[in-house]
Amino acid sequence: MEIIRRNLLDIQQRMQAAVVRSEFRINIPKLIAVTKYAEPEWIEALVELGCRNFGESRPQQLAQRKVWLAEVKDLNWHQIGHLQRNKVRPVVESGAWIHSIDSWRLLDRIEEISAELQLTTPLLLQINISGEEQKSGFAPEDFLEEVERIKSLNHCRVLGLMTMAPDTEDENIIRNVFRELRILRDQARQKLPAELQLPELSMGMSGDFEIAIEEGATMVRVGSKLYRGLTS
Ligand SMILES: *Cc1c(COP(=O)(O)O)cnc(C)c1O
């Protein structure tokens, strides 16, 4: 608990400082504690310390942990890993935010299941800015070309965009990826009505969340840095 408290405090202070450096003067971004590799007692410590947003990669683990922590008030769950079309239902049922919509077919499926369950699903579209083959996400030009499709959704709330930076030490490359996501969002806005302004930018992980905040992130997804010094 003490180690996690220190790690969390350090991350929060770094986030605060990055907000001050950012030219966007955003509110403090939402910290999503990524728990895909976390032991249950680490998650309990995070809850105890006030974390209320948790991110999981695997739909099944998200569903199980949501049930496990059902008695904690105001918890928000985030599906951040790749989602297969045949795994949509439990995630929609869970009410989680879905950050990893990477195709129009997947989005259509989520609309369909959400309609069936009479739910409205909050989600983000994942964009593959860096163009790396092993990364999922829309190609920026495909997204921009067809972004008006989101106007016809009645059971999905598209709240913004998500991306992952490449695994590199080169800060300029990372910064450019985050910057391009923001610019892409601004371009999309011009094609969208006032109620679809894509306010959320989910970008930044343990190694690059400060750069992401400087470039306008509203949500950061941090895992390993929370658990530094712990062994499972
Ligand atoms: C695992 C993961 C994270 C967190 O990564 P860390 O480097 O451990 O902070 C963030 N986003 C996605 C999509 C992930 O899969």
Side-chain angles (χ1 to χ4, degrees), residues 1-184:
M1 176 94 167
E2 201 39 49
I3 295 176
I4 291 188
R5 184 199 304 278
R6 244 183 296 132
N7 289 343
L8 179 62
L9 198 63
D10 177 59
I11 292 164
Q12 287 168 334
Q13 285 169 348
R14 286 170 186 271
M15 287 174 65
Q16 198 88 49
V19 167
V20 172
R21 288 195 301 275
S22 169
E23 62 183 283
F24 299 101
R25 302 192 181 282
I26 36 178
N27 297 326
I28 185 95
K30 202 175 273 179
L31 172 62
I32 298 174
V34 176
T35 45
K36 62 187 178 199
Y37 302 131
E39 298 290 319
E41 58 270 28
W42 303 353
I43 302 173
E44 285 170 331
L46 287 167
V47 169
E48 189 95 343
L49 292 164
C51 288
R52 290 295 178 267
N53 287 280
F54 292 96
E56 284 286 344
S57 263
R58 298 207 326 263
Q60 198 179 352
Q61 184 153 301
L62 185 149
Q64 284 167 355
R65 287 185 162 170
K66 188 185 152 87
V67 171
W68 170 55
L69 289 174
E71 81 279 17
V72 184
K73 276 215 182 100
D74 305 323
L75 276 196
N76 299 300
W77 290 91
H78 301 261
Q79 168 67 32
I80 61 171
H82 179 66
L83 182 58
Q84 287 170 300
R85 286 170 71 247
N86 62 1
K87 300 268 175 65
V88 162
R89 188 179 296 271
V91 181
V92 168
E93 262 168 348
S94 77
W97 284 53
I98 307 174
H99 292 233
S100 46
I101 309 298
D102 55 7
S103 72
W104 300 117
R105 283 180 66 204
L106 177 60
L107 184 59
D108 290 344
R109 181 79 183 138
I110 290 168
E111 171 72 14
E112 185 185 319
I113 301 283
S114 304
E116 208 179 295
L117 297 170
Q118 293 185 299
L119 294 169
T120 303
T121 301
L123 53 84
L124 307 171
L125 304 182
Q126 181 174 354
I127 313 288
N128 186 0
I129 296 282
S130 60
E132 290 165 282
E133 239 171 65
Q134 73 275 22
K135 283 208 162 70
S136 38
F138 290 90
E141 53 280 9
D142 295 343
F143 158 72
L144 205 54
E145 200 163 292
E146 296 193 54
V147 65
E148 284 160 284
R149 289 171 76 135
I150 70 175
K151 292 195 289 192
S152 61
L153 304 170
N154 294 316
H155 295 89
C156 291
R157 259 192 318 146
V158 183
L159 289 163
L161 305 181
M162 181 273 235
T163 200
M164 289 169 82
D167 187 13
T168 167
E169 299 281 293
D170 188 334
E171 216 177 272
N172 284 320
I173 293 177
I174 296 171
R175 186 178 298 280
N176 272 320
V177 165
F178 296 149
R179 188 169 292 173
E180 281 178 40
L181 189 73
R182 172 169 43 79
I183 292 170
L184 188 68

